[in-house]
């Protein structure tokens, strides 16, 4: 039996775009800041299309070996173990490489032949090339981060994907998400969204990343479970944003006025 569908509230035509991209098996890139629903969207789409989803959270140490597979020693034997990418390619799953730009460069090299007409994976340690299952699809996310400290994705890599930008939703949609995720009252949801909108517009604070929907969901959860509203906003929204004492104090004062 199919499990319950994950909740996802669309902001634009992303569902339709993904369905067609999947039909044509073109790799798909989700661009946008953290906490804007990219992972939730992919969970929702793979459920809708009834396809298995394999998610890899890429980080600085993620290598092609982690994705493709490796030999391990078992007792007196050395056996080959497929990595998640190889499994997805063979089984026809959707693989989601979250924050792909964080991974080591050999990961980009490894996915190359999967992102063009060849749709094949070369396993150098086995000297084998495998053709992707017809249901296989590659999805990646990338945080363009207009600030310092974010890794870039080369144009030659980006051009292998169909891409969609994810951003903070409109106020009405964001309040709806908070209510759906946490059962919070409309009035509080609206106040939280107003706080987020206000802080998002304070570009002079120079925050690396601003208030995401994820932070608002966390604040709403704390409020719903009975933590005082102001404290919930301080710990779930303000503190994760900055380590600068003055910025934190200023944001706390602002939030106290708004909730
Ligand atoms: P990202 O992958 O972009 O970092 P997530 O998909 O993990 O972000 O979203 C963080 C949280 O925000 C989710 O767990 C969910 O509670 C909420 N969220 C954000 N956008 C949406 C949306 N459009 N529909 C439903 N929930 C959302």
């Amino acid at each position: 039996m199919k499990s319950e569908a994950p909740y996802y509230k669309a902001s634009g035509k992303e569902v339709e775009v993904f369905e067609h991209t999947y039909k044509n098996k073109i790799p798909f890139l989700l661009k946008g800041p953290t906490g804007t629903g990219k992972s939730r969207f992919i969970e929702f789409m793979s459920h809708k299309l009834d396809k298995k989803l394999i998610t890899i959270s890429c980080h600085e140490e993620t290598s092609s070996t982690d994705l493709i597979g490796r030999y391990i020693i078992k007792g007196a034997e050395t056996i080959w173990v497929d990595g998640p990418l190889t499994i997805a390619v063979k089984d026809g799953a959707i693989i989601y490489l979250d924050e792909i730009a964080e991974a080591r460069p050999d990961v980009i090299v490894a996915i190359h032949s999967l992102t063009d007409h060849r749709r094949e994976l070369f396993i150098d340690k086995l000297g084998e090339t495998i053709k992707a299952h017809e249901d296989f699809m590659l999805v990646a996310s990338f945080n363009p981060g207009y600030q310092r400290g974010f890794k870039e994705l080369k144009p030659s890599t980006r051009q292998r994907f169909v891409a969609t930008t994810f951003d903070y939703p409109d106020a009405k949609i964001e309040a709806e998400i908070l209510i759906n995720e946490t059962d919070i009252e409309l009035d509080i949801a609206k106040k939280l969204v107003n706080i987020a909108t206000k802080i998002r517009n304070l570009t002079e604070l120079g925050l690396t990343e601003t208030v995401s929907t994820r932070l608002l969901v966390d604040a709403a959860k704390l409020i719903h479970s009975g933590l005082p509203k102001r404290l919930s906003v301080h710990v779930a929204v303000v503190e994760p944003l900055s380590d600068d004492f003055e910025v934190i104090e200023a944001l706390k004062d602002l939030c106290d006025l708004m909730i």
Side-chain angles (χ1 to χ4, degrees):
M1 208 181 72
K2 212 171 158 181
S3 59
E4 206 185 313
Y7 167 71
Y8 176 75
K9 175 78 188 164
S11 276
K13 296 254 181 266
E14 65 272 33
V15 174
E16 205 179 330
V17 169
F18 191 90
E19 278 173 336
H20 284 274
T21 313
Y22 183 76
K23 211 157 85 184
N24 289 283
K25 302 296 175 321
I26 307 170
F28 193 86
L29 182 67
L30 301 95
K31 302 187 290 177
T34 183
T36 46
K38 300 187 292 300
S39 305
R40 181 63 68 86
F41 172 66
I42 291 305
E43 284 161 24
F44 171 80
M45 287 312 304
S46 53
H47 185 276
K48 191 167 196 291
L49 297 166
D50 204 10
K51 294 286 167 254
K52 187 177 171 206
L53 174 68
I54 300 178
T55 297
I56 305 296
S57 300
C58 299
H59 53 81
E60 287 158 5
E61 299 298 324
T62 308
S63 67
S64 59
T65 304
D66 296 329
L67 297 187
I68 295 175
R70 50 167 52 91
Y71 279 109
I72 60 163
I73 296 167
K74 206 169 180 196
E77 273 181 296
T78 308
I79 56 165
W80 172 260
V81 181
D82 282 341
L85 179 62
T86 309
I87 293 173
V89 165
K90 285 182 178 169
D91 294 356
I94 295 176
I95 189 140
Y96 177 43
L97 303 178
D98 196 6
E99 297 286 354
I100 191 172
E102 293 292 327
R104 290 207 202 157
D106 65 345
V107 166
I108 307 289
V109 177
I111 62 167
H112 227 251
S113 53
L114 280 170
T115 54
D116 55 33
H117 64 282
R118 291 173 285 175
R119 279 178 57 85
E120 57 191 29
L121 177 68
F122 177 58
I123 307 182
D124 61 346
K125 292 200 178 82
L126 298 178
E128 263 177 38
T129 299
I130 46 175
K131 270 259 170 253
H133 187 291
E134 63 174 313
D135 290 347
F136 168 78
M137 181 174 175
L138 186 108
V139 180
S141 78
F142 166 60
N143 183 348
Y146 304 103
Q147 320 268 348
R148 281 165 290 124
F150 285 92
K151 292 195 183 158
E152 266 305 329
L153 205 56
K154 280 201 278 184
S156 55
T157 304
R158 303 160 69 108
Q159 293 206 13
R160 294 175 166 267
F161 293 83
V162 159
T164 299
T165 295
F166 281 69
D167 208 342
Y168 309 113
D170 289 346
K172 205 163 161 265
I173 292 182
E174 196 161 37
E176 199 180 315
I177 293 172
L178 297 187
I179 293 167
N180 256 287
E181 290 284 283
T182 70
D183 280 335
I184 200 127
E185 291 149 37
L186 175 65
D187 172 54
I188 299 174
K190 279 185 177 168
K191 284 183 177 159
L192 287 172
V193 172
N194 284 344
I195 286 177
T197 310
K198 184 89 188 168
I199 298 178
R200 285 168 192 160
N201 288 328
L202 294 175
T203 45
E204 63 273 20
L205 289 181
L207 300 170
T208 323
E209 289 247 324
T210 186
V211 187
S212 65
T213 307
R214 178 187 288 126
L215 293 189
L216 292 188
V217 169
D218 291 344
K221 279 182 184 160
L222 296 182
I223 294 172
H224 191 251
S225 86
L227 196 70
K229 285 184 235 152
R230 287 183 176 180
L231 180 57
S232 301
V233 172
H234 289 180
V235 296
V237 177
V238 178
E239 292 282 356
L241 287 182
S242 172
D243 296 318
D244 181 318
F245 180 75
E246 282 174 19
V247 171
I248 291 180
E249 289 307 302
L251 288 178
K252 281 183 181 170
D253 289 346
L254 175 76
C255 293
D256 288 353
L257 289 173
M258 296 183 74
I259 193 122

